[in-house]
Amino acid sequence: MSHVPHELHEEFPEAAEKLHALKTNDAHFARLADEYHAVNREVHRIETDVEPTSDEVLEDLKKKRLNLKDQIAAILAAASNTVS
């Protein structure tokens, strides 16, 4: 089990500037990023036993985090295609 936080800038290191620009200029992307960070922090607290919970709750949160990451990746890919 990984106890490493999965921050967006670590997940997409090549897209640091795009992440910042999208968070600043795209309200939908900013909401997705905020939600990702909230879920990610919750997963990390559970994995480090700061906030213990059931395995089912942890798995549901991980699935939600992955779904948010997929949406963020799709927006980053679309931004790369239009800005390149």
Side-chain angles (χ1 to χ4, degrees), residues 22-64:
L22 284 165
K23 282 192 242 179
T24 304
N25 300 314
D26 183 328
H28 174 68
F29 185 87
R31 280 191 301 276
L32 286 175
D34 288 346
E35 187 175 357
Y36 176 90
H37 287 301
V39 171
N40 188 49
R41 282 190 300 270
E42 191 169 353
V43 167
H44 185 64
R45 285 192 307 269
I46 292 167
E47 288 182 334
T48 57
D49 291 327
V50 171
E51 240 177 72
T53 190
S54 71
D55 289 344
E56 183 178 287
V57 169
L58 178 59
E59 286 305 310
D60 287 345
L61 286 167
K62 285 182 174 183
K63 288 176 185 175
K64 184 174 183 177

Side-chain angles (χ1 to χ4, degrees), residues 59-80:
E59 286 305 310
D60 287 345
L61 286 167
K62 285 182 174 183
K63 288 176 185 175
K64 184 174 183 177
R65 178 177 66 184
L66 183 59
N67 178 273
L68 289 163
K69 181 180 170 186
D70 287 346
Q71 291 179 62
I72 289 166
I75 293 170
L76 285 170
S80 293

